[in-house]
Amino acid sequence: MADTTTTNYSYTKPEVGASSDTWGTKLNTNWDDLDTDLKTVSDSVVAKIWATITVSGGAPTITADAGVVSVTDLGVGWFAIYYDTARSDTNYSITGNVNNSGIVGFPNNATTYSEIYTYNSSGTLTDPSRLFIITAGSN
Amino acid sequence: MSKVITYLHSSGNTAVVIPSPNTSLSIEEVAAKSVPAGVDYTIIDEASLPNDRVFRGAWKVSGSRVVEDVAKVKEIAHGYRRQHRSALFSPYDQIIAAQVPNGNPQAAEQAREQIRANDAAVQTSINNAATVAEVRAALVGYGAI
């Protein structure tokens, strides 16, 4: 029986009882290929980060997962979420939802933060009573 | 007592950085990640911020507190006043502009005159106010906030 390969990534499975002088090279090649493939997969993992901003009184209150280091109140209807670890690029998605019929905009997304505008139905910057933000993209 | 970080944003607004409750970083480490490089900042107690956001655009750092700048408060207050005046005018504007049959445009014009007079009085009160509390009282009395 000749060497065979695995189903998904075609790693070499040396024929049992054969490859007496080549099995080490074949297995090392498998490990190198596996290392490369794992790196590719981990880089493409979608990392989600979320935060909730509640505005009542003076300073907003926030809840967030460990991916958020802070929220900056930049003015009425204007906030920025700062990430604990900088993203590798700005090609991440960000969505928001406010519970008082507002509109959410994202004027500036960087690797370390995202800015958020919240408007009322007339298009005026307005504080949300509660804003939920979630970002998703590669780290 | 919770700490927040304040700094002057390039927009002219006073920014307030609120650390995430889940962060393991110190307040200084949060500042390093959240305040633009080279910008001075102040760490203050969250309790020293104003109690509401009616005059959010007038916030400024003064020592270890964030206070409301009276001149900016007046600018913002006039915005509230004008917005409220427009709302009060609106039904009478429609009667006059549309020439609604039996709409009594003379009465509508009289009502508009009264609104103008009341608004002028509030405008004067705001301009003459010496404190934020006086500005706020004028707006509350007018029904604008």
Side-chain angles (χ1 to χ4, degrees):
Chain A
M1 188 177 73
D3 290 352
T4 55
T5 58
T6 61
T7 303
N8 295 309
Y9 289 90
S10 299
Y11 302 134
T12 299
K13 299 194 288 186
E15 179 185 355
V16 176
S19 303
S20 59
D21 293 327
T22 57
W23 67 269
T25 300
K26 292 175 181 176
L27 292 189
N28 285 345
T29 299
N30 282 349
W31 284 116
D32 287 340
D33 290 346
L34 185 61
D35 182 78
T36 300
D37 292 340
L38 276 175
K39 176 64 174 164
T40 300
V41 170
S42 66
D43 283 351
S44 67
V45 167
V46 172
K48 291 184 179 178
I49 297 173
W50 64 267
T52 298
I53 302 169
T54 303
V55 182
S56 175
T61 55
I62 62 173
T63 56
D65 66 20
V68 174
V69 68
S70 67
V71 169
T72 300
D73 166 16
L74 291 165
V76 173
W78 187 15
F79 306 93
I81 292 177
Y82 279 79
Y83 303 118
D84 186 59
T85 302
R87 293 179 177 275
S88 58
D89 55 48
T90 58
N91 297 324
Y92 55 86
S93 67
I94 178 166
T95 55
N97 189 24
V98 292
N99 67 346
N100 54 345
S101 304
I103 303 162
V104 183
F106 305 101
N108 189 14
N109 290 333
T111 56
T112 55
Y113 67 91
S114 299
E115 285 187 24
I116 304 142
Y117 284 161
T118 55
Y119 306 92
N120 62 15
S121 57
S122 300
T124 302
L125 285 173
T126 305
D127 285 329
S129 57
R130 190 167 181 270
L131 166 68
F132 180 70
I133 292 295
I134 187 164
T135 70
S138 57
N139 274 324
Chain B
M1 189 172 289
S2 298
K3 299 285 187 183
V4 297
I5 303 155
T6 64
Y7 66 90
L8 183 60
H9 188 260
S10 56
S11 65
N13 286 358
T14 295
V16 179
V17 180
I18 302 132
S20 169
N22 287 332
T23 186
S24 59
L25 302 181
S26 67
I27 190 79
E28 289 81 10
E29 290 170 325
V30 171
K33 284 178 175 277
S34 309
V35 178
V39 173
D40 292 335
Y41 63 86
T42 306
I43 297 170
I44 63 172
D45 291 331
E46 184 177 339
S48 70
L49 293 171
N51 291 327
D52 66 38
R53 299 169 65 82
V54 172
F55 301 118
R56 173 63 181 83
W59 288 11
K60 69 173 184 180
V61 177
S62 176
S64 60
R65 299 187 62 80
V66 169
V67 299
E68 293 163 325
D69 180 86
V70 176
K72 284 189 176 178
V73 161
K74 289 183 179 183
E75 288 177 25
I76 295 168
H78 283 307
Y80 286 123
R81 177 183 59 78
R82 291 186 197 100
Q83 194 173 20
H84 186 60
R85 182 184 59 192
S86 294
L88 294 174
F89 270 145
S90 180
Y92 304 110
D93 287 345
Q94 289 175 13
I95 290 172
I96 292 171
Q99 294 291 305
V100 176
N102 301 319
N104 197 347
Q106 289 79 14
E109 188 52 47
Q110 283 180 346
R112 282 159 49 107
E113 281 299 324
Q114 187 60 53
I115 291 168
R116 285 192 197 95
N118 292 344
D119 187 78
V122 175
Q123 184 175 9
T124 301
S125 295
I126 292 171
N127 289 340
N128 292 341
T131 65
V132 173
E134 289 176 17
V135 175
R136 188 184 299 268
L139 290 175
V140 169
Y142 191 35
I145 59 172

